[in-house]
Amino acid sequence: MLGGIVLALVMIIGTGAVIFMVVTSEGNVTATDLEVGECLAEIPQGDNVTRLQTVGCDQPHAGEVFALLTVPGGDFPGTEAIDTYAEKCAPELAVYAPTSTTDDGVQLYVLYPSAETWEDGDRAVTCIATLDPPRTGSLKG
């Protein structure tokens, strides 16, 4: 009887662990944890993006991270300086996926640090190619 109870508890804990792994590995990541080459299920809306849904690039996706640029440290330089820094994304796309620069279905989307995230150490300008319509496969050739 005691063996049956222990077995049942092990099964419940094991099932809970599997569910936790599936839920946390679905690709729901913080914006500051994105990496070059990751693909996004959709392009987020709004100015304050904190989490994004990643998917395998072999699945239909609406965006692909192609560069992470680090803004030099110090005090927050202001949104105008960050916007100017983000202009480096277009040349990075030409290096990452040269044919995408002539593809009308590929546009640029940029995530950048705000004054609030800067205080937490965020210095990343994340360059994302948006894909309309969504596609499968990486832009990188």
Side-chain angles (χ1 to χ4, degrees), residues 6 14 21 23 25-26 34 36 50-51 58 66 69 72 78 80-81 94 97 110 119-120:
V6 170
M21 287 175 25
V23 168
S25 68
E26 285 289 323
L34 288 172
V36 171
T50 58
R51 299 197 71 78
D58 60 340
F66 64 87
L69 309 174
E80 190 173 310
V110 180
E119 292 298 319
D120 294 331

Side-chain angles (χ1 to χ4, degrees), residues 52-79:
L52 298 110
Q53 187 70 32
T54 60
V55 295
C57 292
D58 60 340
Q59 298 177 32
H61 55 278
E64 183 171 340
V65 178
F66 64 87
L68 296 172
L69 309 174
T70 303
V71 180
D75 293 334
F76 182 68
T79 56

Side-chain angles (χ1 to χ4, degrees), residues 124-138:
V125 170
T126 304
C127 308
I128 299 168
T130 65
L131 309 169
D132 187 21
R135 306 176 185 183
T136 58
S138 175

Side-chain angles (χ1 to χ4, degrees), residues 33-117:
D33 289 336
L34 288 172
E35 296 181 12
V36 171
E38 285 189 295
C39 291
L40 306 177
E42 57 189 37
I43 302 302
Q45 302 297 314
D47 294 334
N48 189 14
V49 176
T50 58
R51 299 197 71 78
L52 298 110
Q53 187 70 32
T54 60
V55 295
C57 292
D58 60 340
Q59 298 177 32
H61 55 278
E64 183 171 340
V65 178
F66 64 87
L68 296 172
L69 309 174
T70 303
V71 180
D75 293 334
F76 182 68
T79 56
E80 190 173 310
I82 297 289
D83 288 343
T84 299
Y85 202 83
E87 291 175 6
K88 296 179 179 185
C89 285
E92 290 291 328
L93 180 58
V95 171
Y96 183 82
T99 59
S100 66
T101 59
T102 58
D103 185 335
D104 291 337
V106 177
Q107 301 295 317
L108 293 179
Y109 179 82
V110 180
L111 296 174
Y112 51 89
S114 66
E116 294 80 24
T117 63

